[in-house]
Amino acid sequence: MKDLSLHVMDIAQNSITAGATLIKVSLICCDGFLVFRLSDNGNGMDEELLKTVTDPFTTTRETRKVGMGIPLLKLSAEMTGGSFKIESRKGEGTSTEARFVIDSIDRIPLGNVDETLKTLIMANPEIDFEIKFQSEKSSFELKTEEIKKYLNGVPIDNFEVIDWIAGKIRDGLKVVFGGVLNEISG
Amino acid sequence: MKSLAELEAIRERALKEMSLRENTGKIRVVVGMATCGIAAGARPVMNAFIEELHKRNVQNVNVTMTGCIGVCRLEPIAEVITPDGKKTTYVKLDPEKARRIVVEHLINGRPVKEYTIDEVE
Ligand code: FES
């Protein structure tokens, strides 16, 4: 994966496959780290499966179809000197955290986070998304549940609504990460 | 900056349009979004479907995503399912091909044969 936004897509697809109805995505810059967290209320995994998904070797040996991207994300975070953590409980949900050292030359750029979130919301109107960006500079939050309430019957996957949401997210990224991450101008 | 006032205007427009439209059967576009699909460029393909449909003001199409479709080497893959249940599987897509599928298949009802799995395989 060439940027973090593609990992976000991939980890979110695991949550969707796990039947999640709520997916929380956060990107936080703090103390020299960029921390990506994604948690869901989907089916979760038992310990055995959890071990399998984080180990690239067991993953390639048997051709499982879910969670193939987890070892890639883990590797990508660890290459910067950061870390990776995944917690899951059967029947309760899964939460994934990848910490990247911001100044590492091995850190992949943020990429097109707004396109990832836009397509996720558009393609899964029945799932609620809670999005959070935070840095020392500012913070941003968007909850689709609130937007749905506000829309009061107009579907959230209406093209213009989706465009508005994407624009809102773009604004948020700029305000929170502009000048903080060098790929986003301040 | 995007404001709530803008969202309110969108809401009112949408409500008007919704009452004008009848409940016609919807076409579904399902884009494969497994790890392999994402790495092969499925997200820009999906975005191209969304933007082209919006640009041409096509309302009777739902764009959704799914996990593994089972043929990694042919990703990005999208399936078009018409209300009569007919399924067309498109493979090795890119944003440009997606836009052409919108015009020829989703609007004009003629599948783009050369991008289908039967032609490519
Ligand atoms: S993992 Fe590639 S199509 Fe299923």
Side-chain angles (χ1 to χ4, degrees):
Chain A
M1 302 278 173
K2 65 180 194 310
D3 63 47
L4 186 56
S5 76
L6 294 177
H7 282 293
V8 176
M9 193 80 193
D10 183 57
I11 302 299
Q13 177 59 48
N14 294 342
S15 302
I16 295 162
T17 308
T21 56
L22 175 65
I23 299 177
K24 298 183 187 181
V25 181
S26 72
L27 292 168
I28 296 170
C29 283
C30 181
D31 298 330
F33 286 96
L34 166 61
V35 184
F36 158 52
R37 266 191 216 111
L38 191 147
S39 62
D40 69 53
N41 63 351
N43 292 333
M45 293 176 266
D46 54 33
E47 246 167 76
E48 204 180 323
L49 183 56
L50 197 58
K51 244 186 247 149
T52 320
V53 294
T54 34
D55 184 342
F57 299 107
T58 45
T59 328
T60 43
R61 202 191 58 221
E62 50 168 306
T63 42
R64 273 178 334 93
K65 287 169 177 171
V66 181
M68 286 199 317
I70 292 173
L72 297 177
L73 175 60
K74 181 170 188 273
L75 185 69
S76 181
E78 286 173 351
M79 270 190 22
T80 67
S83 59
F84 177 84
K85 193 163 77 184
I86 181 165
E87 283 163 8
S88 191
R89 234 166 248 233
K90 194 88 193 137
E92 286 176 29
T94 302
S95 117
T96 309
E97 181 188 289
R99 299 170 70 87
F100 298 82
V101 173
I102 292 177
D103 291 334
S104 164
I105 48 160
D106 290 317
R107 181 176 67 82
I108 48 173
L110 219 45
N112 209 338
V113 173
D114 51 300
E115 188 178 283
T116 285
L117 296 171
K118 166 191 173 180
T119 44
L120 279 170
I121 295 168
M122 173 95 195
N124 306 280
E126 69 296 341
I127 296 177
D128 283 320
F129 290 88
E130 293 187 14
I131 295 154
K132 185 176 162 189
F133 306 140
Q134 196 183 311
S135 69
E136 276 100 352
K137 210 176 120 200
S138 185
S139 72
F140 168 87
E141 254 187 333
L142 184 140
K143 297 184 178 168
T144 57
E145 200 194 350
E146 284 172 6
I147 295 175
K148 284 176 191 166
K149 264 194 209 129
Y150 189 86
L151 287 171
N152 194 12
V154 169
I156 194 158
D157 56 356
N158 171 291
F159 290 128
E160 282 187 67
V161 172
I162 285 292
D163 256 9
W164 183 87
I165 291 174
K168 193 91 190 150
I169 292 171
R170 266 196 302 279
D171 291 345
L173 285 168
K174 216 171 156 45
V175 168
V176 176
F177 298 126
V180 177
L181 297 172
N182 55 20
E183 63 266 38
I184 299 190
S185 56
Chain B
M1 288 284 158
K2 293 280 169 190
S3 68
L4 267 186
E6 249 176 282
L7 186 59
E8 178 59 31
I10 293 169
R11 195 181 84 86
E12 270 163 25
R13 263 202 309 280
L15 273 179
K16 262 186 223 131
E17 279 178 32
M18 275 164 64
S19 58
L20 287 178
R21 244 175 300 133
E22 302 153 55
N23 262 340
T24 46
K26 283 217 170 196
I27 302 175
R28 287 202 306 142
V29 177
V30 185
V31 182
M33 215 44 93
T35 309
C36 59
I38 296 168
R43 189 192 65 191
V45 165
M46 174 145 158
N47 198 43
F49 275 117
I50 295 170
E51 286 188 342
E52 197 63 23
L53 288 165
H54 185 187
K55 203 171 92 192
R56 296 178 185 273
N57 200 22
V58 183
Q59 310 270 4
N60 66 329
V61 179
N62 269 343
V63 184
T64 61
M65 60 196 251
T66 186
C68 172
I69 298 188
V71 246
C72 298
R73 74 205 147 82
L74 297 178
E75 296 276 357
I77 300 179
E79 297 174 335
V80 172
I81 303 154
T82 44
D84 58 9
K86 224 179 143 245
K87 187 167 93 179
T88 310
T89 304
Y90 289 110
V91 300
K92 292 194 175 174
L93 291 175
D94 58 37
E96 206 156 310
K97 291 178 183 171
R99 282 188 209 104
R100 203 176 136 197
I101 292 167
V102 169
V103 177
E104 293 184 24
H105 190 171
L106 304 180
I107 298 178
N108 293 323
R110 283 191 308 269
V112 189
K113 273 232 176 65
E114 54 195 286
Y115 303 158
T116 60
I117 190 161
D118 311 315
E119 290 292 310
V120 175
E121 281 261 82

